[in-house]
Amino acid sequence: MEHWLKISLLLCTFGFFRELRPSEPFVTEYLAGDYGNLTSDQIYQNVYPIGTYSVLAQLMVVFLITDLVRYKPVIVLSALAGIVLFSLLLWSHSLGMLQVAQVFFGTFTAAEVAYYTYIYAKVDKERYQIVTGHTRAAILSGKFLGGLLAQVLVSTDSMSFRNLHYITVATQVMSLVVSLLLPKVPRSLYFYAAAEKSPVQGGEVVAAKFSLANAGRLLWYHLVSSYSKPVVLIWSAWWALATCGQIQVISYIQFLWKEVAPDNRSTYNGGVEALATLLGAFGALLAGFLNSNKRRSSYMLGISICAAVLGGLLIYAAQTQVIWVAYAIYVIFSAVFFFMITVAGAVVAENLVEDSFGLVFGINTLVGLTLQAILTIVVVEQVGFGLEPRDQYVVYGSCFLFLAGIYIVGIVLITLFRKSKRETVAF
């Protein structure tokens, strides 16, 4: 087996076990039930927001540290954070410890950037497309199997919501073992940028020396060259705003399901998450076949209309009394969203200078998380409006309608302006 393929398979094994978390689809049911004497209001007002702020606080720091320490240590840190996080959920029973667990959730989530970027420092650029497919397939496979396994175990009464966490802790331990087997990276994009980037035989890259000055110059060059392009700025803004809405929707969807479900107990979350993951993968795959960059205006109009439809569906989900309607809307939301965000990501990527996608991805995600934190304070926290789950999803749906409205109106105005300009020149 070729060296690059061994590394790719090893990294994918890590990603698979990292995402194989059958406890996730039922974590709200568990925390509001078996965990301790906590109410749903306490969980979504006093616990989950800490996770949001923790991810935001750690993301950019982790991004730079990932490059500085050359990936592998952050991947190992991610596995350790996962073990601590799910161990706290399993063996602690107080609100305070649950809030501490959210800090480790921030580390666990922020460190995911190392998983996505490690492989690009280990293989030839000719292999980038295929290894990208490998890493994303591993993530989706883990999520799909985790949701499916959770549903089977819960539906057959084989395991309680709490016992699902034993499997999750075990998979995180397995991911730690795999992470320790990953080979070290000789170079990174900024702090250890190699003067000669051509890989030698076997897929290894020429070693590089640490340079803070070079890192600063390269970061600034990538930043300015990327965001000085109007197409990158416009599509990145759409990307960040849509990401903000999507993270908020998936973070609190279990509270809406619990509100809508009979007896306030949603028991099919695992199957729904598995199906949402599967259709989300199909949506992303479909978007990958489109040549989005050549017809940017058309695709921007298309995904903005899709965002408007999702906004309307979220508002409807907030009003429904039928749990299966809420489930179906979430599945549709996942499929359409991953289609939209893949189109946006492709357009941005095709208009960037070489090697700057990681930085732009990090900044766009950071902006999205900042907006999400603001939305959390306004909508969820008691210092804001402290809305109930149904009212929250009316707001989230309205945000998608607002996003769609801004871009649709902008596209129409630009089209009319160009048409008017052509007529004036012709006259």
Side-chain angles (χ1 to χ4, degrees):
M1 185 182 295
E2 294 186 56
H3 182 75
W4 70 268
L5 185 57
K6 290 180 182 179
I7 296 173
S8 179
L9 292 178
L10 196 59
L11 183 66
C12 289
T13 303
F14 166 82
F16 174 79
F17 283 121
R18 185 183 190 275
E19 295 301 319
L20 183 57
R21 306 193 297 266
S23 60
E24 290 286 275
F26 297 101
V27 65
T28 298
E29 290 288 350
Y30 166 64
L31 294 177
D34 298 343
Y35 179 80
N37 296 319
L38 300 178
T39 65
S40 293
D41 289 354
Q42 285 179 301
I43 297 168
Y44 72 71
Q45 290 179 345
N46 300 325
V47 177
Y48 279 23
I50 295 176
T52 297
Y53 310 142
S54 179
V55 175
L56 175 62
Q58 297 183 58
L59 179 65
M60 189 51 68
V61 175
V62 168
F63 176 80
L64 293 176
I65 290 177
T66 297
D67 194 87
L68 179 62
V69 301
R70 289 177 283 187
Y71 310 101
K72 180 178 176 177
V74 178
I75 293 177
V76 175
L77 176 64
S78 169
L80 290 171
I83 293 170
V84 174
L85 165 62
F86 294 106
S87 295
L88 286 173
L89 293 181
L90 186 56
W91 288 297
S92 68
H93 300 284
S94 67
L95 178 62
M97 291 307 296
L98 198 54
Q99 292 171 329
V100 171
Q102 292 302 297
V103 177
F104 288 96
F105 170 79
T107 306
F108 180 72
T109 303
E112 188 177 34
V113 66
Y115 170 78
Y116 285 113
T117 53
Y118 169 92
I119 195 67
Y120 301 121
K122 290 295 293 181
V123 303
D124 187 341
K125 287 181 181 178
E126 295 177 358
R127 312 283 188 187
Y128 276 12
Q129 184 171 354
I130 189 170
V131 297
T132 297
H134 289 173
T135 53
R136 294 196 178 277
I139 287 286
L140 293 172
S141 298
K143 287 183 176 179
F144 174 77
L145 186 58
L148 188 62
L149 180 61
Q151 190 59 62
V152 170
L153 292 174
V154 169
S155 296
T156 58
D157 291 324
S158 300
M159 278 192 172
S160 65
F161 298 144
R162 182 176 188 273
N163 289 341
L164 291 174
H165 284 76
Y166 286 105
I167 301 177
T168 300
V169 171
T171 59
Q172 300 312 299
V173 171
M174 295 175 74
S175 75
L176 174 61
V177 173
V178 175
S179 71
L180 294 172
L181 298 176
L182 288 170
K184 294 180 179 179
V185 176
R187 62 172 288 265
S188 66
L189 185 57
Y190 296 109
F191 292 100
Y192 289 88
E196 174 59 56
K197 296 185 181 181
S198 299
V200 297
Q201 188 175 5
E204 294 295 338
V205 183
V206 176
K209 294 182 179 180
F210 173 82
S211 175
L212 183 60
N214 184 63
R217 285 194 298 269
L218 197 54
L219 279 165
W220 180 251
Y221 168 69
H222 282 168
L223 185 67
V224 173
S225 63
S226 298
Y227 288 104
S228 60
K229 296 180 179 180
V231 61
V232 173
L233 192 60
I234 291 171
W235 281 80
S236 289
W238 193 97
W239 181 353
L241 289 167
T243 298
C244 163
Q246 185 256 358
I247 295 175
Q248 200 73 354
V249 167
I250 65 174
S251 296
Y252 293 91
I253 191 64
Q254 291 184 30
F255 294 101
L256 179 64
W257 290 342
K258 191 172 179 63
E259 181 86 8
V260 176
D263 302 321
N264 299 122
R265 188 176 175 87
S266 50
T267 55
Y268 293 96
N269 300 1
V272 172
E273 289 284 7
L275 183 58
T277 299
L278 186 61
L279 294 184
F282 283 139
L285 184 64
L286 176 62
F289 287 109
L290 303 177
N291 195 337
S292 310
N293 196 42
K294 289 188 176 180
R295 302 182 63 186
R296 292 194 296 265
S297 296
S298 298
Y299 284 116
M300 175 57 77
L301 179 61
I303 65 175
S304 295
I305 292 173
C306 287
V309 172
L310 292 185
L313 287 174
L314 288 174
I315 293 174
Y316 184 71
Q319 310 299 323
T320 188
Q321 302 296 327
V322 181
I323 184 60
W324 290 105
V325 172
Y327 280 151
I329 288 175
Y330 177 73
V331 171
I332 294 170
F333 176 88
S334 298
V336 175
F337 176 82
F338 281 107
F339 171 82
M340 298 190 305
I341 206 66
T342 304
V343 169
V347 172
V348 171
E350 290 183 34
N351 288 277
L352 296 176
V353 296
E354 186 179 11
D355 288 339
S356 63
F357 182 76
L359 178 64
V360 172
F361 174 83
I363 292 175
N364 289 351
T365 303
L366 182 65
V367 172
L369 288 171
T370 302
L371 295 173
Q372 187 214 356
I374 295 172
L375 190 60
T376 298
I377 293 171
V378 173
V379 175
V380 181
E381 295 263 39
Q382 286 296 335
V383 295
F385 292 100
L387 299 179
E388 295 294 320
R390 287 183 182 275
D391 295 329
Q392 288 181 33
Y393 277 80
V394 171
V395 174
Y396 305 153
S398 299
C399 287
F400 275 95
L401 289 173
F402 179 72
L403 169 63
I406 289 177
Y407 275 84
I408 290 173
V409 170
I411 291 168
V412 171
L413 291 177
I414 291 173
T415 302
L416 292 175
F417 174 75
R418 288 175 177 172
K419 183 178 179 180
S420 175
K421 190 175 181 179
R422 284 197 298 268
E423 290 176 351
T424 301
V425 172
F427 179 77

